[in-house]
Amino acid sequence: LPIATSSVVPQPTIIPVPSKEFQSASETGTRTLWVVFVIMLVSAIGFTGMAWRVPNSKRLYHVVTTLIVVFAALSYFAMASGAGSSYHHIRITEKHKTVPDTHLDIYRQVFWARYVDWSITTPLLLLDLGLLAGMNGGNLFVTIIADIIMVLTGLFAAFGTEGTSQKWGWYTIACFAYLVVLYKLVVSGRATARAKGGKVANFYNAIGGFTIILWTIYPIVWGVADGSRKLGVDEEIIAYAVLDVLAKPVFGLWLLWTHASIPETNIDLGGFWTHGLSSE
Ligand code: RET
């Protein structure tokens, strides 16, 4: 008897195949990162040049502001060259009544280098603002520590496991820390800036207001990008790129230019900046 070779009855697949999805930067995202790297590098060179035109006693803001864009350039180099990120695994489980649960495994590129950058540059930005406002050491210290807590807990949120309290729990804690920063800038900073006179107060209110508006957009971008993944990786890169350029080079240029034209913004660190501490 001829044996039918096609006697193998095809079996219906009843076990759902887990699906995977990679979300990472495309050509557009990578190019954006390189462009911002160049902007930060050019700003660092430009701010250094501006520092050389003034005596050391007037260079405090220049040094702080230059370091801000130097750190940003380093972080953007790390991200653009393909390092400075890792893939965060997010498992989305769909429950079914009759068939086994299905999973969607998302691997999203998360740039941790941003948080390294922010943990150094946002304290430096606050140092610029605090010095300008003439904030006292105690307030400045608390502002900067709250800011560091904000960035580090933001990093934990970014790598928090989906479906647990980790992600949005850390995010909420970060937002509280940010509220401390806002409070210090708006209440303590404005009060001491007012005491320094009209010119300093007006300038502090303008550049401080600019800062608060910009900084508040970061947690919003985080929420729609890292948080709920409504924004893709490229869109996230572009959103942060625009914010970073405004918050660092544009902020810096505005500060240094205005500092040059308003002598009341000069900072006297009691001779420490120019001569160091003297012994008794
Ligand atoms: C995170 C997420 C958690 C909640 C909050 C955040 C705030 C981030 C801010 C970042 C500012 C960055 C700047 C960079 C300079 O270029 C960490 C996004 C509140 C305010 C100014």
Side-chain angles (χ1 to χ4, degrees), residues 115 118 122 125 150 154 171 174-175 178 215 218-219 222 244 247-248:
Y115 299 87
W118 295 348
T122 54
L125 287 163
M150 172 191 85
Y171 181 84
C175 287
Y178 180 50
W215 285 37
Y218 282 85
W222 195 100
D244 285 351
K248 290 184 178 113

Side-chain angles (χ1 to χ4, degrees), residues 93-253:
T93 304
E94 219 175 274
K95 300 218 178 289
H96 303 288
K97 286 206 181 88
T98 50
V99 290
D101 295 348
T102 47
H103 302 294
L104 170 61
D105 286 303
I106 298 176
Y107 294 86
R108 185 177 170 114
Q109 191 175 19
V110 175
F111 290 91
W112 51 259
R114 287 191 193 292
Y115 299 87
V116 177
D117 167 342
W118 295 348
S119 68
I120 295 164
T121 58
T122 54
L124 291 174
L125 287 163
L126 292 172
L127 182 62
D128 263 342
L129 285 174
L131 289 171
L132 174 68
M135 236 189 226
N136 67 43
N139 277 329
L140 192 53
F141 185 69
V142 171
T143 312
I144 286 176
I145 298 294
D147 173 79
I148 293 173
I149 292 176
M150 172 191 85
V151 175
L152 292 183
T153 52
L155 172 66
F156 301 158
F159 285 96
T161 307
E162 188 100 1
T164 70
S165 56
Q166 291 172 21
K167 189 166 154 183
W168 294 105
W170 284 123
Y171 181 84
T172 309
I173 294 169
C175 287
F176 276 106
Y178 180 50
L179 289 180
V180 174
V181 175
L182 283 183
Y183 177 84
K184 290 289 175 192
L185 289 179
V186 173
V187 179
S188 317
R190 270 211 317 190
T192 49
R194 203 179 307 126
K196 284 181 122 192
K199 281 188 187 163
V200 175
N202 285 343
F203 178 50
Y204 176 77
N205 290 346
I207 200 164
F210 174 75
T211 299
I212 287 174
I213 292 169
L214 276 181
W215 285 37
T216 304
I217 305 175
Y218 282 85
I220 299 172
V221 169
W222 195 100
V224 289
D226 297 81
S228 55
R229 290 181 303 280
K230 286 193 190 78
L231 284 190
V233 174
D234 279 352
E235 293 158 317
E236 175 186 333
I237 289 173
I238 293 167
Y240 282 137
V242 173
L243 290 173
D244 285 351
V245 169
L246 292 171
K248 290 184 178 113
V250 172
F251 170 95
L253 205 56

